[in-house]
Amino acid sequence: MTTQTFETLAARTLGRRTLLGSAAAALGTLAVPGFAQSAYPSRPVKFIVPFPAGGPVDTTGRAVAQKLSELWGQQAIVDNRAGAGGIVGAEIAARAPADGYNLFVCSIHHSVLPSLKPRLGYDIEKDFVPLSFGAMFPVVLVAHPGVPVKTVADIIALDKRTPGQLSFGSAGNGGGTHLAGELFNMQAGTRLLHVPYKGSAPAMTDLLGGQVQFMFSDAPTALPQIKAGKVKAIAVASASRSALLPDVPTVAESGLPGYEAYSWAAFMAPAGTPRDIVQRLSADIGRALADPQVKQRLYDAGAEAMPTTPEAFGKMLHTEIVKWTKVVRTADIKVD
């Protein structure tokens, strides 16, 4: 990902002043030696990933952990604790010692869960301290080749001509790709019917088979089918065009200004983790994400590396929670 692309994406999400502050803070942390920098880490550091191995959040965690092992000369271990859509791992991480040796790789799910599951056994904002945003996974609006649309405007017009007959698939009820579709309905005034699947792969299979007309897909699932010409890329859901699909317009520039949706992974630690260790971790995670090999590994997985300061990610997380709470309530989304 180019520097210009990163600045555009990050500035829209976090604010240009915050972005510049991120770089300054990270450099300052690296330049000033302190107790935590000399003594930490003295033993293996665990990254708790609340999803199975092989997914985008796991890939982000592993890419960063591997680079940190090299930087530290100390092992960084990925511990997959999947279950309940990310809840199990979050609960384990929230109860872990706040000593800098137990970290948490969170995702967009953890900004949506508070509105879907009001009785969670943890509070993502109170029980954790932010370290850094990690990677953004673009969401792509794709269509079956047989659907007579090329643009967002075409979809809106077709929906008005055939009300209640068009549907979109997602990776699951209440997930990021589902919410991207509901946000589209809210802003476009469409009534695309949501069809949930147990993962992106079966949703894409039914899109290819014509059982649904559209899909708000994560980039790793969509890219191979787009390149093979099996689905049509209509628009990317992020605020700016993606380096992964530079010729595909955004939903916002296609007639829905302000529309923005994407999946992401980020890094946190249990609340109470010492401030100097938080700053050290944030700076080192930033160094890992800026490494060309790590950036390429994430790019190949359909992600764009985007490190920030703890403060910047904390603000972004709160904004995401507020935004998706509104969507969940407006669309009256229910989950088991």
Side-chain angles (χ1 to χ4, degrees):
M1 179 175 58
T2 65
T3 301
Q4 182 178 6
T5 301
F6 168 76
E7 288 185 350
T8 301
L9 289 168
R12 287 178 180 271
T13 306
L14 305 170
R16 188 169 298 278
R17 292 183 180 179
T18 301
L19 174 64
L20 296 175
S22 296
L27 290 174
T29 304
L30 289 172
V32 180
F35 174 77
Q37 287 180 310
S38 60
Y40 174 89
S42 60
R43 53 188 171 87
V45 177
K46 182 190 299 182
F47 285 76
I48 297 172
V49 174
F51 301 104
V57 180
D58 176 75
T59 298
T60 304
R62 288 182 186 277
V64 170
Q66 181 178 343
K67 179 53 61 174
L68 289 178
S69 293
E70 298 173 11
L71 294 175
W72 291 338
Q74 185 62 257
Q75 194 172 16
I77 304 168
V78 171
D79 182 13
N80 294 93
R81 296 298 188 97
I87 294 175
V88 172
E91 291 179 340
I92 292 171
R95 296 193 296 266
D99 54 8
Y101 292 92
N102 298 277
L103 309 181
F104 181 51
V105 187
C106 63
S107 76
I108 184 176
H109 294 75
H110 298 95
S111 66
V112 178
L113 283 168
S115 57
L116 293 174
K117 303 274 190 178
R119 294 181 179 84
L120 291 171
Y122 67 92
D123 186 309
I124 194 65
E125 292 189 278
K126 294 180 180 179
D127 294 332
F128 292 93
V129 58
L131 297 175
S132 174
F133 192 75
M136 184 191 72
F137 307 93
V139 170
V140 189
L141 170 55
V142 292
H144 184 275
V147 181
V149 298
K150 293 182 179 180
T151 67
V152 167
D154 290 342
I155 294 175
I156 296 172
L158 181 60
D159 178 74
K160 290 182 178 179
R161 295 196 302 271
T162 58
Q165 297 183 34
L166 301 177
S167 60
F168 74 93
S170 81
N173 195 37
T177 53
H178 173 200
L179 294 177
E182 296 296 355
L183 182 64
F184 183 91
N185 276 337
M186 287 170 56
Q187 294 191 214
T190 51
R191 296 184 180 181
L192 304 180
L193 175 67
H194 174 233
V195 181
Y197 292 85
K198 293 183 178 180
S200 296
M204 180 60 71
T205 296
D206 268 13
L207 176 66
L208 295 173
Q211 281 74 33
V212 292
Q213 290 75 47
F214 305 102
M215 180 177 173
F216 288 84
S217 173
D218 58 89
T221 301
L223 285 171
Q225 307 303 334
I226 294 170
K227 292 177 180 178
K230 295 182 178 181
V231 298
K232 295 187 288 188
I234 305 298
V236 293
S238 47
S240 300
R241 293 196 183 198
S242 171
L244 298 166
L245 292 165
D247 296 328
V248 178
T250 67
V251 174
E253 70 180 283
S254 300
L256 294 182
Y259 180 94
E260 183 177 10
Y262 52 88
S263 294
W264 51 264
F267 298 88
M268 307 187 83
T273 300
R275 175 73 175 173
D276 54 353
I277 291 181
V278 167
Q279 292 297 328
R280 170 70 188 276
L281 282 166
S282 180
D284 286 354
I285 289 170
R287 289 173 64 191
L289 288 166
D291 180 82
Q293 291 183 335
V294 173
K295 291 171 68 176
Q296 187 62 49
R297 181 174 174 181
L298 292 175
Y299 183 88
D300 291 343
E304 300 178 44
M306 296 177 66
T308 67
T309 61
E311 294 76 15
F313 173 50
K315 291 178 181 178
M316 178 194 165
L317 176 63
H318 182 74
T319 299
E320 287 279 280
I321 291 172
V322 172
K323 173 182 178 177
W324 295 123
T325 295
K326 180 179 179 181
V327 174
V328 168
R329 292 176 178 172
T330 301
D332 194 26
I333 298 172
K334 307 291 185 184
V335 296
D336 296 332

